[in-house]
Amino acid sequence: MNVLIGIPCLLTGGTEIQTLSLAQALIAAGHNVTVACYFEYDDAMAERYRHAGTRVRLLSPYGKRPSGIRKTALHLWKGLRATVKATKPDIVHVQYMAPGALTILILKALGVKKIIATTHTAGDIYSPNGIKLIRFLTDHCLSGFQCITQLAEKSYFGDSKLFDGTPSKHFTIYNNIPSHISLLTEPRKAKASGEPITIGVVSRLEHIKGMDLVVPAFAKAASQDSRLRLLVVGDGTQRQLMERQAKEMGIEGKVEFAGRQPQNKLQAYYDAIDLLLMPSRSEGFGLTAVEGMARGCVPVVADTGGLPEVLGDSGCGCLHRPEDADDMAAKILAATADLNRMSTASIRRAADFSYEKYRQQIAELYSRLDSAKICRL
């Protein structure tokens, strides 16, 4: 089949990485894949998609986003009309990010018969009318609505179901370990009692990611365990604050700021990290946690968004209260006391998010779409 994937941006975020996995899974199943980026893009990311075997159409040649709904609608209409005419898609897969609803309505007006949408966030970012719109689109315009967590699916529809191949109009398919991270096939070497322990962050250093909580939590934990060190991988508006916190707390010598790193180097950093922190204030799924777990990192993460589902009941890590640096410090210390067992459990749990499992689910989903077996609720 000819599959068109629509996405607002091709930058370097988790949604773009997961969409690349979708494209790779579709190509592996024998489909022809075109990716249409409506607005902003990064040349390196667009080339990465091309290297994977997709055709890439950049609807905005300068990577600009029009201002105002009227100009946006006109831009999408012209760009998608030309793309649909050129690619003749059997299925269009829309990444449901603003302006997701507008994109779906335009595609229906252009005569596209089968459209599937994937949302990467829970419904708490939408108004009640926004939720009603998603339900309307699912009932009347879409062949299927995919969520990346059951929490998100419940927030839209009131119930949830992990995709198992049976017909359903909405369902959950988890994100997968991306291609730049390999799943360990055996446990890490056990940590000796006196060895240093590296607490790590791999993140945009932003307030939404809870980065203002990291250094205070680490400082409190390190005051009780001298083995602890902090490695911060990433950059952002909170970096200066974090550096100032480390200086004011007198722990500069225990903290290393590695800066932003290319994705092909992240695996080596995960391998250097024993405990991975994600104190996010909001997190749609938690792909960073899965990446770290695949390399044996023990996740110590906020009890928010998709993170509790990522950990499940596997015993691979610890959830701390959101916004609570003291509780994060306590959970860090609890994890260090059971580090070796939790590390092995992390690798075992990460296998549930393997690319192979994701590829099989996407292949089954598209097989059903091709045979029109996705039913209306």
Side-chain angles (χ1 to χ4, degrees):
M1 290 190 295
N2 293 326
V3 180
L4 173 64
I5 299 175
I7 187 169
C9 309
L10 279 182
L11 299 174
T12 56
T15 298
E16 290 90 335
I17 295 300
Q18 186 58 40
T19 303
L20 180 58
S21 290
L22 170 63
Q24 291 169 326
L26 290 169
I27 291 169
H31 303 298
N32 300 312
V33 180
T34 300
V35 175
C37 170
Y38 320 144
F39 309 125
E40 303 91 344
Y41 62 90
D42 176 84
D43 286 326
M45 182 59 78
E47 183 56 34
R48 192 169 171 185
Y49 272 73
R50 293 188 186 100
H51 182 73
T54 75
R55 288 172 291 180
V56 176
R57 292 179 67 96
L58 304 173
L59 304 192
S60 178
Y62 303 106
K64 301 291 185 180
R65 187 181 292 251
S67 59
I69 185 64
R70 187 171 296 178
K71 289 182 178 179
T72 299
L74 181 61
H75 168 76
L76 289 171
W77 174 264
K78 289 181 176 179
L80 290 172
R81 181 178 60 183
T83 299
V84 168
K85 182 178 180 180
T87 61
K88 297 179 174 57
D90 300 293
I91 298 175
V92 179
H93 197 132
V94 174
Q95 300 301 306
Y96 197 92
M97 307 153 61
L102 180 58
T103 301
I104 291 168
L105 293 172
I106 288 173
L107 288 167
K108 291 299 290 186
L110 290 170
V112 176
K113 301 296 184 184
K114 296 178 182 179
I115 306 171
I116 187 168
T118 297
T119 182
H120 297 265
T121 60
D124 56 3
I125 68 168
Y126 294 102
S127 67
N129 285 336
I131 299 292
K132 289 179 182 178
L133 176 59
I134 287 174
R135 291 176 177 174
F136 172 85
L137 292 172
T138 302
D139 285 342
H140 300 287
C141 300
L142 295 173
S143 298
F145 192 93
Q146 175 200 343
C147 299
I148 61 171
T149 65
Q150 290 191 276
L151 174 72
E153 189 181 357
K154 288 177 183 176
S155 71
Y156 295 114
F157 302 105
D159 60 352
S160 66
K161 181 181 186 298
L162 288 174
F163 180 77
D164 61 3
T166 58
S168 178
K169 204 65 183 298
H170 59 79
F171 46 85
T172 294
I173 296 178
Y174 287 132
N175 288 346
N176 65 280
I177 304 167
S179 58
H180 59 269
I181 302 294
S182 299
L183 176 65
L184 286 174
T185 57
E186 58 184 32
R188 281 184 172 187
K189 180 182 176 182
K191 204 82 169 176
S193 59
E195 285 187 83
I197 295 175
T198 300
I199 312 299
V201 167
V202 180
S203 176
R204 289 184 292 116
L205 306 186
E206 302 295 343
H207 183 265
I208 191 70
K209 297 296 186 179
M211 291 298 108
D212 53 308
L213 305 171
V214 168
V215 174
F218 169 76
K220 184 163 187 175
S223 69
Q224 300 180 55
D225 191 335
S226 61
R227 299 173 298 166
L228 302 186
R229 300 291 183 270
L230 178 62
L231 173 60
V232 180
V233 180
D235 211 340
T237 60
Q238 297 283 290
R239 177 164 177 170
Q240 288 187 340
L241 169 64
M242 296 172 76
E243 291 175 334
R244 185 170 67 250
Q245 288 173 327
K247 184 176 182 180
E248 291 173 350
M249 295 176 184
I251 56 172
E252 309 104 298
K254 294 186 175 185
V255 182
E256 176 186 351
F257 288 88
R260 184 180 176 184
Q261 298 294 324
Q263 288 173 339
N264 62 2
K265 291 187 177 180
L266 289 182
Q267 181 164 293
Y269 282 96
Y270 285 124
D271 288 348
I273 291 170
D274 298 302
L275 269 67
L276 182 67
L277 303 184
M278 286 188 71
S280 304
R281 292 182 165 90
S282 177
E283 199 68 56
F285 177 70
L287 191 60
T288 297
V290 171
E291 291 178 346
M293 289 158 58
R295 302 304 300 175
C297 301
V298 174
V300 177
V301 301
D303 187 1
T304 188
L307 289 168
E309 280 183 63
V310 168
L311 270 61
D313 58 0
S314 63
C316 69
C318 297
L319 295 170
H320 66 79
R321 292 189 294 272
E323 305 270 359
D324 193 331
D326 289 342
D327 192 47
M328 194 195 319
K331 296 303 167 48
I332 288 172
L333 293 171
T336 60
D338 199 13
L339 185 62
N340 293 325
R341 184 199 63 78
M342 283 187 167
S343 176
T344 300
S346 289
I347 298 168
R348 187 165 54 246
R349 173 58 174 163
D352 292 335
F353 305 101
S354 69
Y355 168 73
E356 181 59 26
K357 182 174 182 177
Y358 175 79
R359 185 195 64 76
Q360 291 173 355
Q361 289 177 314
I362 293 299
E364 176 64 23
L365 171 62
Y366 271 73
S367 175
R368 289 187 172 276
L369 284 168
D370 187 29
S371 58
K373 290 179 182 176
I374 295 290
C375 67
R376 293 190 178 278
L377 294 177

